[in-house]
Amino acid sequence: MMNNLKQKLGKSIENRRDELTAMADKIFDLSEVSGEEYQSAELLCSYLEKEGFEVERGTGFPTAFRAEWRNGSGGPVIGILVEYDALEKIGHACGHHLQGPAGIGAAIAVKECMSEYPCTIVVYGTPAEETLGGKIVMLDKGYMKELDLVFMSHGSPNTSVDEKCMALENFVVTFHGIKSHAAISPEQGRSALDAALLSFHAIEMLREHVKDDTRMHYTIRNAGGPPNVVPDLTVAEYTLRSYSTKYLDEVVERFYNIIKGASLMTDTTYEIQRDLPFKSKVVCHKVNNLLMENASYENAPAIAPPREKTGSTDFGNVLYEVPGSCIRIAFTQPDAQPHSQEYLDAGKSQAAHDAIVYAAKIMADSISDVLTNPGLLEEIKEEFNAAKEK
């Protein structure tokens, strides 16, 4: 019976293959960068409205949206997140143009084939992943927290899921000193550059006393001027990472003390700009297994083991609040890297078009498993809550 339902879901998606792939090609050609995805977002919103979804535009971000189909009363609220921002100067070299059509295909298939199961399906348009982290802005404004479970898809060299992702904190620190002539009156100067250099040295000392998975990077944006002038202004940037959000919070407190100490030692002042924090996701193996079981059922290409460690993503912030996972679908050569020409060249290929359909089927199948087995969602939530407490 379950296989019959999944076959119905797959047929619904296949019936829309041409429309979904044409939509992806259009988003690829638009190549709208983070925060400017107005036409791409509208393309997705209009299609969802045509299919009976209630669409709210501008959900916490001008190019974000929330599209809902509510079926009956009660039942779980299941989200599908889609990105559609391109990279500046190169275009859709990360495969984000595939996500919207895949998510829409899955959502509509569930709407068409599972009307007897009470639930709410929500498609969230989440812009600006490549730069600002649009999901973080949306979460801060209360969106996505109503979800019981969340899915996403992403193009990849292999079909797999992820384990850990890194929490990330980024800071821009402006040190203010006193300008003077470095040869004639150096005693009158207070070097903002010295403050930055001392902070860099202190971070090197800190490396010995943090956990192995901690990463700390820094650079100088503005050194302050020529060598014969004591610089009165220096701008430095720092990035701190860990696979644990809680541990990174501890490292950040130590970082604040480093900046304060560097300022005290050089008799300078400083200002700190803190960017939006990226959190490490709470890994939910039951959801990962569910997606991969359905990937095998659909005979998805190049199935591979989970990626044990990845970089930072604003999806991590969502998965810190809500259980879920992202299914990565193979559409490039095995050695291709995101943000590369290889990804761009594969963007409108047959493999890319197939990846849309595979992703849609796998997410729809996984939603059907949850809706037809209510105990599964409770098991997922139990695992999630236990993992978050660690």
Side-chain angles (χ1 to χ4, degrees):
M1 182 177 176
M2 176 55 68
N3 285 351
N4 288 339
L5 176 56
K6 291 182 178 181
Q7 288 169 10
K8 286 174 62 180
L9 291 165
K11 185 176 180 182
S12 171
I13 292 163
E14 287 288 356
N15 288 341
R16 285 181 169 75
R17 174 185 282 266
D18 290 346
E19 292 182 355
L20 297 176
T21 56
M23 197 183 316
D25 288 352
K26 177 64 174 177
I27 294 171
F28 181 93
D29 291 339
L30 288 169
S31 291
E32 295 174 304
V33 298
S34 294
E36 299 178 13
E37 316 97 320
Y38 290 99
Q39 294 182 72
S40 299
E42 185 55 36
L43 190 67
L44 300 171
C45 287
S46 298
Y47 195 94
L48 284 160
E49 281 180 327
K50 185 188 72 172
E51 294 295 334
F53 282 71
E54 184 177 333
V55 178
E56 177 187 358
R57 292 166 172 81
T59 48
F61 202 89
T63 51
F65 66 83
R66 182 184 189 276
E68 175 184 296
W69 171 68
R70 185 181 297 274
N71 185 39
S73 59
V77 182
I78 300 176
I80 301 174
L81 307 192
V82 303
E83 302 163 352
Y84 33 88
D85 57 326
L87 294 157
E88 192 169 358
K89 295 182 180 179
I90 187 171
H92 274 291
C94 202
H96 288 185
H97 62 297
L98 308 175
Q99 293 185 27
I104 285 175
I108 293 172
V110 172
K111 176 178 177 289
E112 281 189 348
C113 303
M114 303 197 68
S115 58
E116 66 271 34
Y117 296 93
C119 67
T120 300
I121 304 297
V122 182
V123 180
Y124 267 111
T126 62
E129 188 274 338
E130 296 287 2
T131 54
L132 177 64
K135 297 180 191 66
I136 304 173
V137 176
M138 296 171 73
L139 279 167
D140 287 346
K141 296 187 178 181
Y143 293 100
M144 293 182 281
K145 294 183 179 181
E146 81 281 16
L147 302 177
D148 292 306
L149 182 64
V150 64
F151 294 105
M152 201 176 91
S153 66
H154 203 295
S156 178
N158 300 296
T159 296
S160 65
V161 289
D162 293 340
E163 295 284 333
K164 297 180 180 180
C165 75
M166 299 194 91
L168 178 151
E169 292 267 11
N170 196 73
F171 303 89
V172 176
V173 180
T174 303
F175 292 98
H176 298 279
I178 299 174
K179 185 182 292 187
S180 68
H181 196 289
I184 299 172
S185 54
E187 75 284 357
Q188 295 181 17
R190 299 292 183 268
S191 174
L193 179 60
D194 284 353
L197 294 176
L198 278 169
S199 75
F200 296 165
H201 183 63
I203 287 173
E204 292 304 319
M205 299 299 98
L206 181 61
R207 288 190 198 279
E208 186 180 357
H209 306 288
V210 295
K211 293 183 177 180
D212 289 344
D213 71 357
T214 308
R215 301 290 183 265
M216 297 180 284
H217 333 291
Y218 51 77
T219 190
I220 293 178
R221 282 188 172 187
N222 180 349
N228 64 335
V229 178
V230 175
D232 64 341
L233 183 144
T234 296
V235 181
E237 185 169 0
Y238 311 78
T239 302
L240 313 174
R241 303 182 198 239
S242 170
Y243 284 103
S244 166
T245 298
K246 290 181 179 178
Y247 184 68
L248 186 61
D249 289 341
E250 297 177 22
V251 176
V252 166
E253 288 304 312
R254 298 169 79 179
F255 167 76
Y256 283 141
N257 286 334
I258 283 173
I259 301 302
K260 181 180 179 181
S263 174
L264 287 170
M265 285 188 285
T266 53
D267 197 19
T268 59
T269 61
Y270 63 90
E271 301 163 2
I272 295 182
Q273 171 195 315
R274 179 191 183 200
D275 292 341
L276 292 172
F278 287 67
K279 294 183 178 180
S280 60
K281 72 177 182 181
V282 177
V283 182
C284 200
H285 294 97
K286 287 186 180 296
V287 183
N288 278 355
N289 293 340
L290 180 64
L291 287 169
M292 291 310 298
E293 287 167 6
N294 284 308
S296 295
Y297 171 77
E298 296 293 350
N299 295 313
I303 290 178
R307 301 195 312 170
E308 292 186 6
K309 294 182 178 181
T310 63
S312 305
T313 170
D314 60 359
F315 192 41
N317 292 58
V318 180
L319 296 182
Y320 199 78
E321 303 288 340
V322 180
S325 187
C326 174
I327 182 67
R328 294 182 171 273
I329 304 293
F331 82 110
T332 66
Q333 295 300 314
D335 58 348
Q337 295 297 314
H339 299 199
S340 67
Q341 187 64 41
E342 288 82 2
Y343 261 59
L344 192 69
D345 292 343
K348 295 169 77 173
S349 66
Q350 184 62 49
H353 292 167
D354 290 342
I356 295 168
V357 174
Y358 279 120
K361 288 180 179 179
I362 292 166
M363 288 189 288
D365 290 347
S366 299
I367 292 170
S368 73
D369 286 332
V370 171
L371 294 181
T372 57
N373 180 10
L376 177 58
L377 182 56
E378 292 307 311
E379 292 174 8
I380 288 169
K381 288 185 175 182
E382 287 176 9
E383 181 191 3
F384 174 80
N385 291 329
K388 190 170 182 179
E389 290 176 1
K390 292 180 181 179

PDB file of all heavy atoms in Angstrom, residues 3 18 34 60 68-69 76 136 165 196 224 239 244 261 275 282-283 305 317 329-330 350 353 359 363 387:
ATOM      1  N   ASN A   3       3.956   1.551  -1.118  1.00  0.00           N
ATOM      2  CA  ASN A   3       4.576   1.703  -2.430  1.00  0.00           C
ATOM      3  C   ASN A   3       3.589   2.256  -3.450  1.00  0.00           C
ATOM      4  O   ASN A   3       3.973   3.042  -4.332  1.00  0.00           O
ATOM      5  CB  ASN A   3       5.144   0.369  -2.898  1.00  0.00           C
ATOM      6  CG  ASN A   3       6.427   0.002  -2.168  1.00  0.00           C
ATOM      7  OD1 ASN A   3       6.977   0.821  -1.436  1.00  0.00           O
ATOM      8  ND2 ASN A   3       6.890  -1.218  -2.339  1.00  0.00           N
ATOM      9  N   ASP A  18       8.183  18.858 -16.945  1.00  0.00           N
ATOM     10  CA  ASP A  18       8.523  19.909 -17.900  1.00  0.00           C
ATOM     11  C   ASP A  18       8.357  21.293 -17.290  1.00  0.00           C
ATOM     12  O   ASP A  18       9.200  22.186 -17.495  1.00  0.00           O
ATOM     13  CB  ASP A  18       7.658  19.784 -19.161  1.00  0.00           C
ATOM     14  CG  ASP A  18       8.014  18.560 -19.989  1.00  0.00           C
ATOM     15  OD1 ASP A  18       9.084  17.957 -19.749  1.00  0.00           O
ATOM     16  OD2 ASP A  18       7.202  18.194 -20.871  1.00  0.00           O
ATOM     17  N   SER A  34      21.937  37.473  -3.927  1.00  0.00           N
ATOM     18  CA  SER A  34      21.316  37.547  -2.606  1.00  0.00           C
ATOM     19  C   SER A  34      20.646  38.887  -2.348  1.00  0.00           C
ATOM     20  O   SER A  34      21.266  39.945  -2.520  1.00  0.00           O
ATOM     21  CB  SER A  34      22.374  37.310  -1.530  1.00  0.00           C
ATOM     22  OG  SER A  34      22.866  35.995  -1.584  1.00  0.00           O
ATOM     23  N   GLY A  60       9.688  38.517   6.570  1.00  0.00           N
ATOM     24  CA  GLY A  60      10.909  38.816   7.306  1.00  0.00           C
ATOM     25  C   GLY A  60      12.043  39.301   6.444  1.00  0.00           C
ATOM     26  O   GLY A  60      13.084  39.739   6.948  1.00  0.00           O
ATOM     27  N   GLU A  68       1.385  28.140   2.105  1.00  0.00           N
ATOM     28  CA  GLU A  68       0.791  27.116   2.974  1.00  0.00           C
ATOM     29  C   GLU A  68      -0.383  26.411   2.308  1.00  0.00           C
ATOM     30  O   GLU A  68      -1.211  27.038   1.652  1.00  0.00           O
ATOM     31  CB  GLU A  68       0.322  27.774   4.275  1.00  0.00           C
ATOM     32  CG  GLU A  68      -0.421  26.843   5.225  1.00  0.00           C
ATOM     33  CD  GLU A  68      -0.950  27.560   6.449  1.00  0.00           C
ATOM     34  OE1 GLU A  68      -0.114  28.064   7.230  1.00  0.00           O
ATOM     35  OE2 GLU A  68      -2.185  27.645   6.615  1.00  0.00           O
ATOM     36  N   TRP A  69      -0.440  25.100   2.513  1.00  0.00           N
ATOM     37  CA  TRP A  69      -1.636  24.310   2.209  1.00  0.00           C
ATOM     38  C   TRP A  69      -2.042  23.595   3.485  1.00  0.00           C
ATOM     39  O   TRP A  69      -1.287  22.786   4.016  1.00  0.00           O
ATOM     40  CB  TRP A  69      -1.372  23.301   1.095  1.00  0.00           C
ATOM     41  CG  TRP A  69      -2.520  22.331   0.911  1.00  0.00           C
ATOM     42  CD1 TRP A  69      -3.759  22.610   0.450  1.00  0.00           C
ATOM     43  CD2 TRP A  69      -2.505  20.923   1.200  1.00  0.00           C
ATOM     44  NE1 TRP A  69      -4.546  21.470   0.427  1.00  0.00           N
ATOM     45  CE2 TRP A  69      -3.799  20.421   0.882  1.00  0.00           C
ATOM     46  CE3 TRP A  69      -1.541  20.041   1.688  1.00  0.00           C
ATOM     47  CZ2 TRP A  69      -4.131  19.074   1.040  1.00  0.00           C
ATOM     48  CZ3 TRP A  69      -1.873  18.696   1.848  1.00  0.00           C
ATOM     49  CH2 TRP A  69      -3.166  18.236   1.528  1.00  0.00           C
ATOM     50  N   PRO A  76       0.597  17.216  11.664  1.00  0.00           N
ATOM     51  CA  PRO A  76       1.889  17.914  11.746  1.00  0.00           C
ATOM     52  C   PRO A  76       1.999  19.060  10.749  1.00  0.00           C
ATOM     53  O   PRO A  76       1.328  19.071   9.713  1.00  0.00           O
ATOM     54  CB  PRO A  76       2.895  16.813  11.429  1.00  0.00           C
ATOM     55  CG  PRO A  76       2.137  15.845  10.582  1.00  0.00           C
ATOM     56  CD  PRO A  76       0.726  15.867  11.097  1.00  0.00           C
ATOM     57  N   ILE A 136      18.330  33.133   8.995  1.00  0.00           N
ATOM     58  CA  ILE A 136      18.562  33.658  10.345  1.00  0.00           C
ATOM     59  C   ILE A 136      17.667  34.865  10.584  1.00  0.00           C
ATOM     60  O   ILE A 136      17.055  35.011  11.653  1.00  0.00           O
ATOM     61  CB  ILE A 136      20.045  34.027  10.530  1.00  0.00           C
ATOM     62  CG1 ILE A 136      20.935  32.828  10.226  1.00  0.00           C
ATOM     63  CG2 ILE A 136      20.296  34.524  11.954  1.00  0.00           C
ATOM     64  CD1 ILE A 136      22.419  33.137  10.209  1.00  0.00           C
ATOM     65  N   CYS A 165      27.452  20.461  10.911  1.00  0.00           N
ATOM     66  CA  CYS A 165      27.873  21.698  10.242  1.00  0.00           C
ATOM     67  C   CYS A 165      28.413  22.639  11.316  1.00  0.00           C
ATOM     68  O   CYS A 165      28.081  22.505  12.495  1.00  0.00           O
ATOM     69  CB  CYS A 165      26.743  22.340   9.443  1.00  0.00           C
ATOM     70  SG  CYS A 165      25.485  23.185  10.424  1.00  0.00           S
ATOM     71  N   ALA A 196      45.428  45.672  16.822  1.00  0.00           N
ATOM     72  CA  ALA A 196      45.007  44.564  15.976  1.00  0.00           C
ATOM     73  C   ALA A 196      46.042  43.445  15.986  1.00  0.00           C
ATOM     74  O   ALA A 196      45.700  42.262  16.106  1.00  0.00           O
ATOM     75  CB  ALA A 196      44.759  45.052  14.554  1.00  0.00           C
ATOM     76  N   GLY A 224      45.664  51.264   8.138  1.00  0.00           N
ATOM     77  CA  GLY A 224      45.703  52.596   8.732  1.00  0.00           C
ATOM     78  C   GLY A 224      46.603  53.622   8.109  1.00  0.00           C
ATOM     79  O   GLY A 224      46.618  54.775   8.546  1.00  0.00           O
ATOM     80  N   THR A 239      36.862  35.515  12.214  1.00  0.00           N
ATOM     81  CA  THR A 239      35.843  34.474  12.093  1.00  0.00           C
ATOM     82  C   THR A 239      36.188  33.338  13.043  1.00  0.00           C
ATOM     83  O   THR A 239      37.321  32.836  13.039  1.00  0.00           O
ATOM     84  CB  THR A 239      35.761  33.937  10.657  1.00  0.00           C
ATOM     85  OG1 THR A 239      35.467  35.019   9.764  1.00  0.00           O
ATOM     86  CG2 THR A 239      34.661  32.892  10.534  1.00  0.00           C
ATOM     87  N   SER A 244      30.091  22.935  17.712  1.00  0.00           N
ATOM     88  CA  SER A 244      29.147  23.073  18.820  1.00  0.00           C
ATOM     89  C   SER A 244      28.823  24.541  19.036  1.00  0.00           C
ATOM     90  O   SER A 244      29.718  25.347  19.306  1.00  0.00           O
ATOM     91  CB  SER A 244      29.740  22.492  20.110  1.00  0.00           C
ATOM     92  OG  SER A 244      28.982  22.891  21.236  1.00  0.00           O
ATOM     93  N   GLY A 261      41.629  43.342  25.976  1.00  0.00           N
ATOM     94  CA  GLY A 261      43.009  43.373  26.440  1.00  0.00           C
ATOM     95  C   GLY A 261      43.935  44.074  25.461  1.00  0.00           C
ATOM     96  O   GLY A 261      44.812  44.847  25.870  1.00  0.00           O
ATOM     97  N   ASP A 275      28.323  40.096  13.132  1.00  0.00           N
ATOM     98  CA  ASP A 275      27.401  39.668  12.085  1.00  0.00           C
ATOM     99  C   ASP A 275      26.419  38.636  12.650  1.00  0.00           C
ATOM    100  O   ASP A 275      26.571  38.160  13.776  1.00  0.00           O
ATOM    101  CB  ASP A 275      28.178  39.068  10.907  1.00  0.00           C
ATOM    102  CG  ASP A 275      29.006  40.108  10.172  1.00  0.00           C
ATOM    103  OD1 ASP A 275      28.719  41.314  10.327  1.00  0.00           O
ATOM    104  OD2 ASP A 275      29.947  39.708   9.460  1.00  0.00           O
ATOM    105  N   VAL A 282      21.461  20.565  14.922  1.00  0.00           N
ATOM    106  CA  VAL A 282      21.265  19.371  15.735  1.00  0.00           C
ATOM    107  C   VAL A 282      21.021  18.214  14.767  1.00  0.00           C
ATOM    108  O   VAL A 282      20.035  18.215  14.020  1.00  0.00           O
ATOM    109  CB  VAL A 282      20.074  19.548  16.697  1.00  0.00           C
ATOM    110  CG1 VAL A 282      19.832  18.264  17.480  1.00  0.00           C
ATOM    111  CG2 VAL A 282      20.309  20.728  17.634  1.00  0.00           C
ATOM    112  N   VAL A 283      21.931  17.255  14.745  1.00  0.00           N
ATOM    113  CA  VAL A 283      21.831  16.140  13.796  1.00  0.00           C
ATOM    114  C   VAL A 283      20.710  15.197  14.222  1.00  0.00           C
ATOM    115  O   VAL A 283      20.637  14.786  15.372  1.00  0.00           O
ATOM    116  CB  VAL A 283      23.156  15.364  13.719  1.00  0.00           C
ATOM    117  CG1 VAL A 283      23.050  14.247  12.683  1.00  0.00           C
ATOM    118  CG2 VAL A 283      24.306  16.300  13.374  1.00  0.00           C
ATOM    119  N   PRO A 305      27.840   7.726   1.334  1.00  0.00           N
ATOM    120  CA  PRO A 305      27.668   7.859   2.785  1.00  0.00           C
ATOM    121  C   PRO A 305      27.477   9.323   3.176  1.00  0.00           C
ATOM    122  O   PRO A 305      27.784  10.233   2.405  1.00  0.00           O
ATOM    123  CB  PRO A 305      28.987   7.315   3.352  1.00  0.00           C
ATOM    124  CG  PRO A 305      29.581   6.506   2.258  1.00  0.00           C
ATOM    125  CD  PRO A 305      29.136   7.146   0.978  1.00  0.00           C
ATOM    126  N   ASN A 317      20.907  27.014  11.571  1.00  0.00           N
ATOM    127  CA  ASN A 317      20.088  27.726  12.560  1.00  0.00           C
ATOM    128  C   ASN A 317      18.686  27.161  12.630  1.00  0.00           C
ATOM    129  O   ASN A 317      18.092  27.055  13.700  1.00  0.00           O
ATOM    130  CB  ASN A 317      20.033  29.218  12.206  1.00  0.00           C
ATOM    131  CG  ASN A 317      21.374  29.905  12.366  1.00  0.00           C
ATOM    132  OD1 ASN A 317      22.365  29.513  11.746  1.00  0.00           O
ATOM    133  ND2 ASN A 317      21.431  30.919  13.200  1.00  0.00           N
ATOM    134  N   ILE A 329      21.421  15.883  -3.955  1.00  0.00           N
ATOM    135  CA  ILE A 329      21.177  15.049  -5.134  1.00  0.00           C
ATOM    136  C   ILE A 329      22.303  15.250  -6.156  1.00  0.00           C
ATOM    137  O   ILE A 329      22.628  16.389  -6.523  1.00  0.00           O
ATOM    138  CB  ILE A 329      19.827  15.396  -5.790  1.00  0.00           C
ATOM    139  CG1 ILE A 329      18.691  15.270  -4.776  1.00  0.00           C
ATOM    140  CG2 ILE A 329      19.590  14.494  -6.997  1.00  0.00           C
ATOM    141  CD1 ILE A 329      18.421  13.880  -4.293  1.00  0.00           C
ATOM    142  N   ALA A 330      22.863  14.142  -6.628  1.00  0.00           N
ATOM    143  CA  ALA A 330      23.955  14.209  -7.593  1.00  0.00           C
ATOM    144  C   ALA A 330      23.487  14.794  -8.922  1.00  0.00           C
ATOM    145  O   ALA A 330      22.463  14.378  -9.468  1.00  0.00           O
ATOM    146  CB  ALA A 330      24.524  12.811  -7.812  1.00  0.00           C
ATOM    147  N   GLN A 350      20.681  17.608 -18.386  1.00  0.00           N
ATOM    148  CA  GLN A 350      19.682  16.576 -18.103  1.00  0.00           C
ATOM    149  C   GLN A 350      19.818  16.062 -16.677  1.00  0.00           C
ATOM    150  O   GLN A 350      18.819  15.779 -16.000  1.00  0.00           O
ATOM    151  CB  GLN A 350      19.831  15.421 -19.091  1.00  0.00           C
ATOM    152  CG  GLN A 350      18.772  14.331 -18.935  1.00  0.00           C
ATOM    153  CD  GLN A 350      17.364  14.848 -19.180  1.00  0.00           C
ATOM    154  OE1 GLN A 350      17.105  15.520 -20.175  1.00  0.00           O
ATOM    155  NE2 GLN A 350      16.435  14.557 -18.262  1.00  0.00           N
ATOM    156  N   HIS A 353      18.100  18.486 -14.413  1.00  0.00           N
ATOM    157  CA  HIS A 353      16.642  18.323 -14.505  1.00  0.00           C
ATOM    158  C   HIS A 353      16.188  17.055 -13.774  1.00  0.00           C
ATOM    159  O   HIS A 353      15.164  17.059 -13.079  1.00  0.00           O
ATOM    160  CB  HIS A 353      16.225  18.275 -15.974  1.00  0.00           C
ATOM    161  CG  HIS A 353      16.421  19.581 -16.680  1.00  0.00           C
ATOM    162  ND1 HIS A 353      16.362  19.699 -18.048  1.00  0.00           N
ATOM    163  CD2 HIS A 353      16.688  20.834 -16.216  1.00  0.00           C
ATOM    164  CE1 HIS A 353      16.573  20.961 -18.402  1.00  0.00           C
ATOM    165  NE2 HIS A 353      16.781  21.660 -17.301  1.00  0.00           N
ATOM    166  N   ALA A 359      14.812  14.852  -6.163  1.00  0.00           N
ATOM    167  CA  ALA A 359      14.662  15.552  -4.880  1.00  0.00           C
ATOM    168  C   ALA A 359      13.200  15.667  -4.485  1.00  0.00           C
ATOM    169  O   ALA A 359      12.832  15.446  -3.322  1.00  0.00           O
ATOM    170  CB  ALA A 359      15.306  16.936  -4.960  1.00  0.00           C
ATOM    171  N   MET A 363      11.630  13.854  -1.098  1.00  0.00           N
ATOM    172  CA  MET A 363      10.987  14.635  -0.033  1.00  0.00           C
ATOM    173  C   MET A 363       9.522  14.264   0.117  1.00  0.00           C
ATOM    174  O   MET A 363       9.016  14.123   1.234  1.00  0.00           O
ATOM    175  CB  MET A 363      11.161  16.132  -0.303  1.00  0.00           C
ATOM    176  CG  MET A 363      12.578  16.630  -0.084  1.00  0.00           C
ATOM    177  SD  MET A 363      12.737  18.436  -0.160  1.00  0.00           S
ATOM    178  CE  MET A 363      12.508  18.743  -1.912  1.00  0.00           C
ATOM    179  N   ALA A 387      19.342  15.148  21.571  1.00  0.00           N
ATOM    180  CA  ALA A 387      20.605  15.606  20.973  1.00  0.00           C
ATOM    181  C   ALA A 387      20.864  17.071  21.290  1.00  0.00           C
ATOM    182  O   ALA A 387      22.011  17.482  21.498  1.00  0.00           O
ATOM    183  CB  ALA A 387      20.575  15.386  19.458  1.00  0.00           C
TER     184      ALA A 387
END
